[in-house]
Amino acid sequence: MMIMDIMMIMLGMLILIIGILVGVAFLTLLERKVLGYIQIRKGPNKVGYMGILQPFSDAIKLFTKEQSFPNYSNYMCYYLSPVVSFILSLMIWMLIPYYFNMVSFNLGILFFLCCTSLGVYTVMIAGWSSNSNYSLLGGLRAVAQTISYEVSLALIMMSSIIMIMDFNLIKLYNYQELMWFIFMMMPLSICWMSSSLAETNRTPFDFAEGESELVSGFNIEYSSGGFALIFLAEYSSILFMSMLFIMMYMGGYSLDLFFYLKLVFISFVFIWVRGTLPRYRYDKLMYLSWKSYLPISLNFLLFFMGLVIFLS
């Protein structure tokens, strides 16, 4: 590979990262605006025109504040876990099936499952290294929650894999040109949506940061830059899960305006759920994932395996 090619790949990655960060910034603004209107108030509307510069002023404020840390914390783990969490959430974005310049994964879905599984460790270490009871409980909850959801998440994904018989995400587009998978997999797609809410620690499954009982959960001791990185990691994973939902069930990846409108709509659904639903009870979540989603995903998996064998 020529030096020029490597430089172009690096440039492509840089543009991708900047695009994600800007997208995350405006996703936070969208969330604050939508939640404001749901709660019959305005939301941020002072900085810039209708509050459009609010995310940038928040970022400047967070990254220029003094970084405080607990005296009894395990400092290196405490300091590095938000950084690793942020890097992992950006790494997943390499999976976008580019038509040019970048990496093309033939085993993209496996890479996604590996990265999301690693994301739990950063939350666990962040909770443990803060040396606070609340953050430790938040971290433990996040681990238990993710273990129970990853099983059904992987099995739901397996149904889509069996339909296309490939791990490459770009193939999903080829198979959905005539009909979206959401019409064939309606219950599964709803299960995937709620599983991705739990995967990204969002309401109604945000037990890792349940402020009613755990103050703020695993990130309670983080301030300024550390908190901002955890926040960025969470919101970039929300954007990615929205994109993955569209790729798997709503027509695949296509470079047109309609794709981005679908992406905005699914991201809006995440926010809408947060403004509408109350938090689940913790044991109910475990019951839901092991007693409901696991049997549903297994049954559908067997059904689609039979369908593919029957049609081939």
Side-chain angles (χ1 to χ4, degrees):
M1 193 183 279
M2 301 297 289
I3 300 288
M4 198 65 185
D5 290 345
I6 294 168
M7 283 175 69
M8 289 302 287
I9 287 173
M10 291 299 176
L11 185 67
M13 283 187 175
L14 188 67
I15 293 168
L16 169 71
I17 289 168
I18 292 166
I20 295 163
L21 294 179
V22 173
V24 165
F26 286 109
L27 180 63
T28 59
L29 181 66
L30 176 74
E31 176 169 48
R32 290 172 70 177
K33 282 283 192 187
V34 169
L35 286 179
Y37 283 112
I38 285 172
Q39 295 158 3
I40 322 176
R41 56 187 176 82
K42 276 289 183 194
N45 63 347
K46 291 283 189 286
V47 187
Y49 177 68
M50 291 174 65
I52 206 149
L53 295 177
Q54 185 69 46
F56 301 106
S57 64
D58 284 345
I60 292 163
K61 186 206 77 172
L62 279 169
F63 284 111
T64 51
K65 271 173 70 176
E66 183 187 354
Q67 174 91 40
S68 62
F69 60 92
N71 281 336
Y72 295 104
S73 65
N74 191 329
Y75 183 71
M76 283 309 287
C77 298
Y78 169 86
Y79 191 77
L80 287 174
S81 55
V83 179
V84 175
S85 169
F86 182 56
I87 289 168
L88 279 173
S89 70
L90 288 181
M91 270 173 66
I92 304 176
W93 279 94
M94 288 201 300
L95 281 182
I96 295 183
Y98 284 95
Y99 297 118
F100 54 88
N101 186 354
M102 274 277 291
V103 189
S104 176
F105 276 106
N106 284 329
L107 302 173
I109 292 171
L110 293 180
F111 181 77
F112 161 74
L113 288 171
C114 293
C115 284
T116 45
S117 304
L118 281 172
V120 196
Y121 294 109
T122 57
V123 173
M124 183 178 73
I125 291 165
W128 167 79
S129 63
S130 301
N131 204 6
S132 154
N133 290 341
Y134 291 121
S135 58
L136 180 62
L137 280 169
L140 290 175
R141 278 186 178 196
V143 172
Q145 175 181 328
T146 314
I147 286 168
S148 52
Y149 260 92
E150 291 247 319
V151 178
S152 56
L153 200 76
L155 285 169
I156 292 167
M157 219 167 183
M158 281 290 287
S159 295
S160 297
I161 294 167
I162 277 170
M163 289 298 279
I164 65 169
M165 279 304 193
D166 204 309
F167 287 114
N168 197 343
L169 286 169
I170 207 158
K171 292 284 173 68
L172 285 161
Y173 173 71
N174 303 337
Y175 282 86
Q176 292 182 79
E177 280 185 283
L178 298 175
M179 187 170 104
W180 290 357
F181 279 171
I182 195 167
F183 301 118
M184 299 168 67
M185 306 179 173
M186 190 61 201
L188 265 192
S189 59
I190 295 166
C191 290
W192 172 269
M193 191 68 201
S194 59
S195 297
S196 54
L197 280 168
E199 184 68 35
T200 50
N201 275 334
R202 295 290 291 175
T203 315
F205 307 116
D206 56 341
F207 304 109
E209 37 192 288
E211 68 281 337
S212 53
E213 67 272 5
L214 289 184
V215 193
S216 179
F218 71 96
N219 59 11
I220 184 171
E221 302 294 348
Y222 286 94
S223 61
S224 63
F227 172 75
L229 287 177
I230 289 171
F231 199 72
L232 285 169
E234 183 181 323
Y235 277 81
S236 72
S237 62
I238 287 168
L239 269 180
F240 186 80
M241 293 305 266
S242 307
M243 192 188 73
L244 204 59
F245 182 85
I246 291 161
M247 284 162 77
M248 283 170 62
Y249 299 112
M250 291 175 72
Y253 182 77
S254 53
L255 277 173
D256 53 5
L257 182 64
F258 188 44
F259 173 79
Y260 292 104
L261 288 173
K262 287 186 287 189
L263 185 60
V264 170
F265 174 71
I266 300 294
S267 303
F268 167 74
V269 168
F270 272 82
I271 298 162
W272 189 9
V273 166
R274 181 176 177 179
T276 313
L277 298 179
R279 186 176 290 125
Y280 244 59
R281 217 173 65 201
Y282 192 66
D283 55 312
K284 290 250 180 105
L285 167 91
M286 294 298 172
Y287 186 90
L288 183 74
S289 50
W290 290 112
K291 297 282 182 73
S292 300
Y293 287 172
L294 193 61
I296 288 170
S297 52
L298 275 170
N299 280 322
F300 268 98
L301 183 62
L302 291 171
F303 169 70
F304 286 121
M305 282 169 78
L307 189 69
V308 167
I309 291 164
F310 177 73
L311 292 173
S312 59

